[in-house]
Structures are given as structure tokens and as C-alpha cells.
Amino acid sequence: MARPTKEDRKISIMTKALELFSKEGFYQTTMPSIAEKIGMSVGNLYNYFTSKEMLAKDLILYIANILGDEIRKINESPISTQEKIEAIVHMYFRIAKDRPETIEYFLRVYLSNREVFQNCCEGMICVSAFVTEMMIFFEEGVRCGELRDQDFFSAFGLFMGYLGGMVFINGENILPKPLESYEHTIAENIYYALKSR
């Protein structure tokens, strides 16, 4: 059996840290609490991440890459823009259900503590893998005539606001039905809000 590589260990650390950050928030989570959760000394943890801020930055890059990879697969599928919207909504809600700490981290840490990311994640740098795939999605939808040509950030804000809002409401246990039961309605609403007239 092969020994885990440094990269494997790093991903294992990030997975556990993600759980802590998403539950406790950025400021309440400490490097010692992360080290304890993964059964590692604090000194050894610093061999992988030189600071909590660096770990936080690597986590947002990690999440953006996961989402970006998923959307790239959808973008490469030979389906209509409306079907792509359905697939993106399904993927996002599936991740929110199966790996809630991933979306929670994005909502509770990255968006809520922008000051932490100022020196290393200005603008969209840390989420570029995700944002780039969403740009490709919108550009292709406009090119094939299914979506109206509009400012990217307006379209992106509408799309992600809808998804983030639903995941947040679900996390607060307000929804009367399971999150996935809203997929079709949410996808339809997004499509009709963005489609060409």
C-alpha cells in the first residue's frame, strides 16, 4: 500500500478544516483546533499551511476548483442552455446536501470575512476556476440565442443569489420540503429570468 503523498495529506487536512470553518466560522477556528481534529501536531500542520489565512485561501481555491470542474462537465455536455441550468442547479444542491461544509464555507467564511482574503484573493482571483466556467456558460447561452446578452455580473448575481439563498434557507431549516424538490422550479425561474425575449 502506497504512503499518502504530501498533496494527499494536504487535501485531508483541508477536508477536516472545512468542517471546522463552516461550523465555527473563521475567527473561532484556530490552528490548534484544526490540528486536534486531524490528529496532528500544530507544528506539523504549519509544515502544510504557514498560517490560518493561507489555509483559508487554499480552501476557497479548492472549492472553486470543485465547482469549476463540475460546471465544465456541464458546459461540455451536448444539451440546451435550459438543460444546463437544470444540471447546474442539481449539482449545486447535491453538493449542498452531500458536502454541506463546502457551500457553508463559501457563504459563512469567504463572503462574510472578506477582510481575511484582501491580500491574497482580490476580486475574483480565488474563485476564478468557478467564475470562468460560469462565464463560458453565459457566453455559450448568448451565442446560441437562448440567453439575452447582458452584463455578466448581473446574470451571475441573479443565478448565484438564487442558489445561495435557497441553500441558506435550507440550512436554517425553513424549507417545508427537501431542497432537491425545488430544483426544477428554481432552474425554471433562473432560465426565464435570463432567457432571450
Side-chain angles (χ1 to χ4, degrees):
M1 183 182 215
R3 286 184 67 197
T5 65
K6 184 166 184 171
E7 191 58 30
D8 292 336
R9 192 69 174 129
K10 193 173 177 183
I11 289 171
S12 174
I13 293 166
M14 288 195 297
T15 302
K16 299 289 188 200
L18 202 49
E19 293 171 17
L20 278 175
F21 278 127
S22 65
K23 277 187 197 150
E24 307 296 330
F26 179 78
Y27 291 105
Q28 288 72 30
T29 302
T30 64
M31 290 298 265
S33 65
I34 294 167
E36 181 181 332
K37 175 124 180 126
I38 58 178
M40 175 184 278
S41 72
V42 177
N44 197 14
L45 179 57
Y46 279 110
N47 288 327
Y48 292 90
F49 300 97
T50 56
S51 67
K52 184 168 77 165
E53 289 74 16
M54 186 55 66
L55 173 54
K57 175 193 162 196
D58 281 0
L59 280 171
I60 203 62
L61 288 166
Y62 176 68
I63 292 167
N65 286 332
I66 289 171
L67 294 173
D69 287 346
E70 293 282 341
I71 295 171
R72 183 176 20 78
K73 291 176 199 163
I74 294 166
N75 281 339
E76 292 171 353
S77 299
I79 56 177
S80 71
T81 300
Q82 187 170 8
E83 291 168 314
K84 287 180 182 180
I85 291 172
E86 288 262 2
I88 292 169
V89 171
H90 174 73
M91 173 274 298
Y92 197 86
F93 286 2
R94 177 180 45 79
I95 289 175
K97 181 181 176 192
D98 296 345
R99 298 172 66 185
E101 66 279 358
T102 305
I103 305 300
E104 276 291 315
Y105 180 84
F106 189 78
L107 297 173
R108 286 195 67 200
V109 176
Y110 181 67
L111 295 179
S112 302
N113 299 283
R114 295 297 301 143
E115 70 282 358
V116 172
F117 299 90
Q118 283 177 346
N119 295 325
C120 55
C121 285
E122 293 84 0
M124 296 281 187
I125 291 171
C126 281
V127 291
S128 65
F130 166 60
V131 172
T132 298
E133 290 301 327
M134 288 302 291
M135 281 182 174
I136 291 167
F137 161 76
F138 285 118
E139 286 170 5
E140 179 60 22
V142 170
R143 189 192 63 69
C144 71
E146 287 190 71
L147 301 182
R148 78 177 174 282
D149 193 4
Q150 64 177 297
D151 175 73
F152 166 73
F153 291 104
S154 297
F156 181 72
L158 181 141
F159 203 121
M160 296 316 299
Y162 231 134
L163 297 184
M166 287 300 291
V167 169
F168 175 78
I169 291 168
N170 184 62
E172 296 296 309
N173 298 313
I174 295 171
L175 293 178
K177 297 184 284 186
L179 182 61
E180 60 270 15
S181 67
Y182 295 91
E183 284 179 14
H184 178 72
T185 304
I186 297 300
E188 195 172 63
N189 287 345
I190 291 170
Y191 177 69
Y192 285 115
L194 296 174
K195 78 176 190 134
S196 57
R197 303 289 181 225

